[in-house]
mmCIF file of all heavy atoms in Angstrom:
data_model
loop_
_atom_site.group_PDB
_atom_site.id
_atom_site.type_symbol
_atom_site.label_atom_id
_atom_site.label_comp_id
_atom_site.label_asym_id
_atom_site.label_seq_id
_atom_site.Cartn_x
_atom_site.Cartn_y
_atom_site.Cartn_z
ATOM 1 N N SER Y 12 96.287 91.087 115.678
ATOM 2 C CA SER Y 12 96.714 91.518 117.015
ATOM 3 C C SER Y 12 97.705 92.671 116.988
ATOM 4 O O SER Y 12 98.027 93.242 118.038
ATOM 5 C CB SER Y 12 97.343 90.329 117.756
ATOM 6 O OG SER Y 12 98.487 89.859 117.062
ATOM 7 N N LEU Y 13 98.203 93.051 115.799
ATOM 8 C CA LEU Y 13 99.239 94.068 115.726
ATOM 9 C C LEU Y 13 98.705 95.440 116.103
ATOM 10 O O LEU Y 13 97.646 95.858 115.644
ATOM 11 C CB LEU Y 13 99.827 94.117 114.315
ATOM 12 C CG LEU Y 13 100.651 92.912 113.889
ATOM 13 C CD1 LEU Y 13 101.054 93.034 112.432
ATOM 14 C CD2 LEU Y 13 101.882 92.762 114.760
ATOM 15 N N GLN Y 14 99.468 96.146 116.930
ATOM 16 C CA GLN Y 14 99.095 97.486 117.368
ATOM 17 C C GLN Y 14 99.760 98.510 116.440
ATOM 18 O O GLN Y 14 100.776 99.102 116.772
ATOM 19 C CB GLN Y 14 99.524 97.698 118.823
ATOM 20 C CG GLN Y 14 98.881 96.746 119.803
ATOM 21 C CD GLN Y 14 97.359 96.877 119.824
ATOM 22 O OE1 GLN Y 14 96.824 97.973 119.986
ATOM 23 N NE2 GLN Y 14 96.660 95.759 119.663
ATOM 24 N N TRP Y 15 99.196 98.675 115.268
ATOM 25 C CA TRP Y 15 99.713 99.671 114.346
ATOM 26 C C TRP Y 15 98.565 100.293 113.582
ATOM 27 O O TRP Y 15 97.438 99.803 113.597
ATOM 28 C CB TRP Y 15 100.761 99.110 113.418
ATOM 29 C CG TRP Y 15 100.334 98.005 112.471
ATOM 30 C CD1 TRP Y 15 99.065 97.535 112.242
ATOM 31 C CD2 TRP Y 15 101.194 97.254 111.608
ATOM 32 N NE1 TRP Y 15 99.091 96.535 111.312
ATOM 33 C CE2 TRP Y 15 100.376 96.345 110.896
ATOM 34 C CE3 TRP Y 15 102.547 97.261 111.351
ATOM 35 C CZ2 TRP Y 15 100.879 95.451 109.965
ATOM 36 C CZ3 TRP Y 15 103.054 96.382 110.421
ATOM 37 C CH2 TRP Y 15 102.226 95.475 109.744
ATOM 38 N N ASP Y 16 98.838 101.422 112.920
ATOM 39 C CA ASP Y 16 97.844 102.118 112.117
ATOM 40 C C ASP Y 16 98.561 102.683 110.900
ATOM 41 O O ASP Y 16 99.130 103.772 110.942
ATOM 42 C CB ASP Y 16 97.178 103.240 112.925
ATOM 43 C CG ASP Y 16 96.092 103.950 112.120
ATOM 44 O OD1 ASP Y 16 95.830 103.529 110.979
ATOM 45 O OD2 ASP Y 16 95.518 104.929 112.643
ATOM 46 N N LEU Y 17 98.507 101.919 109.823
ATOM 47 C CA LEU Y 17 99.182 102.325 108.587
ATOM 48 C C LEU Y 17 98.271 103.129 107.673
ATOM 49 O O LEU Y 17 98.720 103.634 106.645
ATOM 50 C CB LEU Y 17 99.679 101.091 107.839
ATOM 51 C CG LEU Y 17 100.712 100.225 108.563
ATOM 52 C CD1 LEU Y 17 100.950 98.925 107.793
ATOM 53 C CD2 LEU Y 17 102.016 100.978 108.762
ATOM 54 N N GLY Y 18 97.008 103.255 108.046
ATOM 55 C CA GLY Y 18 96.018 103.901 107.198
ATOM 56 C C GLY Y 18 94.886 102.931 106.913
ATOM 57 O O GLY Y 18 94.657 101.972 107.654
ATOM 58 N N GLU Y 19 94.163 103.187 105.829
ATOM 59 C CA GLU Y 19 92.999 102.368 105.489
ATOM 60 C C GLU Y 19 93.451 101.123 104.721
ATOM 61 O O GLU Y 19 93.376 101.048 103.496
ATOM 62 C CB GLU Y 19 92.011 103.201 104.679
ATOM 63 C CG GLU Y 19 91.455 104.385 105.479
ATOM 64 C CD GLU Y 19 90.593 105.300 104.651
ATOM 65 O OE1 GLU Y 19 90.268 104.941 103.497
ATOM 66 O OE2 GLU Y 19 90.251 106.386 105.146
ATOM 67 N N THR Y 20 93.925 100.139 105.470
ATOM 68 C CA THR Y 20 94.494 98.931 104.867
ATOM 69 C C THR Y 20 93.467 97.846 104.622
ATOM 70 O O THR Y 20 93.772 96.860 103.944
ATOM 71 C CB THR Y 20 95.580 98.345 105.784
ATOM 72 O OG1 THR Y 20 94.966 97.914 107.013
ATOM 73 C CG2 THR Y 20 96.663 99.385 106.094
ATOM 74 N N HIS Y 21 92.269 97.973 105.198
ATOM 75 C CA HIS Y 21 91.235 96.942 105.072
ATOM 76 C C HIS Y 21 91.747 95.581 105.543
ATOM 77 O O HIS Y 21 91.412 94.549 104.966
ATOM 78 C CB HIS Y 21 90.715 96.856 103.635
ATOM 79 C CG HIS Y 21 90.257 98.172 103.086
ATOM 80 N ND1 HIS Y 21 89.103 98.808 103.520
ATOM 81 C CD2 HIS Y 21 90.824 99.005 102.163
ATOM 82 C CE1 HIS Y 21 88.972 99.962 102.876
ATOM 83 N NE2 HIS Y 21 90.003 100.109 102.061
ATOM 84 N N GLY Y 22 92.591 95.612 106.563
ATOM 85 C CA GLY Y 22 93.078 94.371 107.160
ATOM 86 C C GLY Y 22 94.207 93.710 106.414
ATOM 87 O O GLY Y 22 94.545 92.556 106.699
ATOM 88 N N THR Y 23 94.828 94.416 105.466
ATOM 89 C CA THR Y 23 95.926 93.835 104.706
ATOM 90 C C THR Y 23 97.218 94.587 104.997
ATOM 91 O O THR Y 23 97.213 95.662 105.598
ATOM 92 C CB THR Y 23 95.647 93.880 103.191
ATOM 93 O OG1 THR Y 23 95.646 95.254 102.745
ATOM 94 C CG2 THR Y 23 94.312 93.242 102.863
ATOM 95 N N VAL Y 24 98.331 94.017 104.557
ATOM 96 C CA VAL Y 24 99.619 94.688 104.651
ATOM 97 C C VAL Y 24 100.460 94.270 103.454
ATOM 98 O O VAL Y 24 100.415 93.116 103.020
ATOM 99 C CB VAL Y 24 100.335 94.350 105.974
ATOM 100 C CG1 VAL Y 24 100.636 92.849 106.076
ATOM 101 C CG2 VAL Y 24 101.609 95.169 106.143
ATOM 102 N N ALA Y 25 101.184 95.228 102.879
ATOM 103 C CA ALA Y 25 102.096 94.956 101.773
ATOM 104 C C ALA Y 25 103.509 94.861 102.327
ATOM 105 O O ALA Y 25 103.992 95.800 102.962
ATOM 106 C CB ALA Y 25 102.002 96.065 100.724
ATOM 107 N N LEU Y 26 104.176 93.736 102.104
ATOM 108 C CA LEU Y 26 105.480 93.468 102.704
ATOM 109 C C LEU Y 26 106.540 93.258 101.633
ATOM 110 O O LEU Y 26 106.281 92.662 100.581
ATOM 111 C CB LEU Y 26 105.412 92.216 103.583
ATOM 112 C CG LEU Y 26 104.431 92.250 104.757
ATOM 113 C CD1 LEU Y 26 104.387 90.879 105.435
ATOM 114 C CD2 LEU Y 26 104.835 93.326 105.756
ATOM 115 N N ARG Y 27 107.750 93.745 101.935
ATOM 116 C CA ARG Y 27 108.877 93.533 101.029
ATOM 117 C C ARG Y 27 110.179 93.507 101.828
ATOM 118 O O ARG Y 27 110.312 94.207 102.831
ATOM 119 C CB ARG Y 27 108.961 94.634 99.962
ATOM 120 C CG ARG Y 27 110.059 94.365 98.921
ATOM 121 C CD ARG Y 27 109.927 95.284 97.729
ATOM 122 N NE ARG Y 27 110.678 96.525 97.868
ATOM 123 C CZ ARG Y 27 111.946 96.685 97.521
ATOM 124 N NH1 ARG Y 27 112.663 95.652 97.076
ATOM 125 N NH2 ARG Y 27 112.536 97.866 97.627
ATOM 126 N N MET Y 28 111.118 92.702 101.377
ATOM 127 C CA MET Y 28 112.473 92.688 101.911
ATOM 128 C C MET Y 28 113.392 93.224 100.818
ATOM 129 O O MET Y 28 113.584 92.580 99.785
ATOM 130 C CB MET Y 28 112.891 91.270 102.301
ATOM 131 C CG MET Y 28 114.294 91.175 102.870
ATOM 132 S SD MET Y 28 114.732 89.453 103.231
ATOM 133 C CE MET Y 28 116.449 89.646 103.735
ATOM 134 N N PRO Y 29 113.952 94.431 101.013
ATOM 135 C CA PRO Y 29 114.761 95.036 99.955
ATOM 136 C C PRO Y 29 116.134 94.375 99.833
ATOM 137 O O PRO Y 29 116.700 93.913 100.815
ATOM 138 C CB PRO Y 29 114.897 96.487 100.414
ATOM 139 C CG PRO Y 29 114.831 96.402 101.914
ATOM 140 C CD PRO Y 29 113.856 95.296 102.208
ATOM 141 N N ASP Y 30 116.663 94.379 98.628
ATOM 142 C CA ASP Y 30 117.991 93.809 98.380
ATOM 143 C C ASP Y 30 119.004 94.952 98.331
ATOM 144 O O ASP Y 30 119.563 95.278 97.278
ATOM 145 C CB ASP Y 30 117.978 93.027 97.067
ATOM 146 C CG ASP Y 30 119.244 92.219 96.874
ATOM 147 O OD1 ASP Y 30 120.029 92.098 97.839
ATOM 148 O OD2 ASP Y 30 119.458 91.710 95.756
ATOM 149 N N HIS Y 31 119.209 95.590 99.491
ATOM 150 C CA HIS Y 31 120.146 96.705 99.579
ATOM 151 C C HIS Y 31 120.861 96.624 100.919
ATOM 152 O O HIS Y 31 120.208 96.579 101.971
ATOM 153 C CB HIS Y 31 119.430 98.041 99.448
ATOM 154 C CG HIS Y 31 120.361 99.191 99.247
ATOM 155 N ND1 HIS Y 31 121.129 99.706 100.275
ATOM 156 C CD2 HIS Y 31 120.669 99.915 98.133
ATOM 157 C CE1 HIS Y 31 121.853 100.706 99.797
ATOM 158 N NE2 HIS Y 31 121.605 100.849 98.516
ATOM 159 N N PRO Y 32 122.179 96.588 100.943
ATOM 160 C CA PRO Y 32 122.892 96.337 102.207
ATOM 161 C C PRO Y 32 122.645 97.383 103.280
ATOM 162 O O PRO Y 32 122.480 97.031 104.454
ATOM 163 C CB PRO Y 32 124.365 96.299 101.776
ATOM 164 C CG PRO Y 32 124.411 96.995 100.452
ATOM 165 C CD PRO Y 32 123.104 96.714 99.799
ATOM 166 N N ALA Y 33 122.608 98.652 102.917
ATOM 167 C CA ALA Y 33 122.382 99.694 103.934
ATOM 168 C C ALA Y 33 120.962 99.624 104.472
ATOM 169 O O ALA Y 33 120.737 99.772 105.686
ATOM 170 C CB ALA Y 33 122.665 101.078 103.348
ATOM 171 N N ALA Y 34 119.990 99.394 103.589
ATOM 172 C CA ALA Y 34 118.605 99.276 104.043
ATOM 173 C C ALA Y 34 118.443 98.090 104.992
ATOM 174 O O ALA Y 34 117.780 98.193 106.030
ATOM 175 C CB ALA Y 34 117.669 99.127 102.839
ATOM 176 N N LEU Y 35 119.065 96.969 104.664
ATOM 177 C CA LEU Y 35 118.952 95.789 105.517
ATOM 178 C C LEU Y 35 119.675 95.998 106.848
ATOM 179 O O LEU Y 35 119.187 95.559 107.898
ATOM 180 C CB LEU Y 35 119.505 94.558 104.796
ATOM 181 C CG LEU Y 35 118.650 94.065 103.627
ATOM 182 C CD1 LEU Y 35 119.376 92.959 102.861
ATOM 183 C CD2 LEU Y 35 117.292 93.568 104.123
ATOM 184 N N ALA Y 36 120.820 96.674 106.824
ATOM 185 C CA ALA Y 36 121.525 96.963 108.075
ATOM 186 C C ALA Y 36 120.661 97.802 108.994
ATOM 187 O O ALA Y 36 120.626 97.581 110.220
ATOM 188 C CB ALA Y 36 122.839 97.685 107.765
ATOM 189 N N LEU Y 37 119.959 98.764 108.427
ATOM 190 C CA LEU Y 37 119.052 99.598 109.216
ATOM 191 C C LEU Y 37 117.874 98.789 109.740
ATOM 192 O O LEU Y 37 117.539 98.844 110.933
ATOM 193 C CB LEU Y 37 118.562 100.753 108.351
ATOM 194 C CG LEU Y 37 117.526 101.684 108.985
ATOM 195 C CD1 LEU Y 37 118.122 102.438 110.170
ATOM 196 C CD2 LEU Y 37 116.986 102.659 107.934
ATOM 197 N N LEU Y 38 117.230 98.022 108.878
ATOM 198 C CA LEU Y 38 116.048 97.256 109.253
ATOM 199 C C LEU Y 38 116.345 96.222 110.334
ATOM 200 O O LEU Y 38 115.492 95.938 111.180
ATOM 201 C CB LEU Y 38 115.451 96.565 108.023
ATOM 202 C CG LEU Y 38 114.752 97.485 107.020
ATOM 203 C CD1 LEU Y 38 114.624 96.801 105.668
ATOM 204 C CD2 LEU Y 38 113.379 97.884 107.554
ATOM 205 N N ARG Y 39 117.546 95.663 110.311
ATOM 206 C CA ARG Y 39 117.897 94.674 111.340
ATOM 207 C C ARG Y 39 117.931 95.315 112.725
ATOM 208 O O ARG Y 39 117.786 94.614 113.737
ATOM 209 C CB ARG Y 39 119.238 94.030 111.009
ATOM 210 C CG ARG Y 39 119.179 93.106 109.788
ATOM 211 C CD ARG Y 39 120.494 92.381 109.552
ATOM 212 N NE ARG Y 39 120.465 91.658 108.279
ATOM 213 C CZ ARG Y 39 121.170 91.986 107.210
ATOM 214 N NH1 ARG Y 39 121.998 93.028 107.257
ATOM 215 N NH2 ARG Y 39 121.074 91.282 106.093
#
């Protein structure tokens, strides 16, 4: 149901939660 277009993903998504304080502050 997600309305996004990341490219030719073939219905998959690669996910990661980085262990970096500035990156997490931004992502939140």
Side-chain angles (χ1 to χ4, degrees):
S12 61
L13 291 174
Q14 299 299 308
W15 62 8
D16 182 3
L17 298 171
E19 297 174 9
T20 65
H21 307 289
T23 67
V24 62
L26 300 174
R27 185 168 91 88
M28 180 183 175
D30 190 11
H31 192 286
L35 290 172
L37 176 65
L38 288 161
R39 290 185 188 110

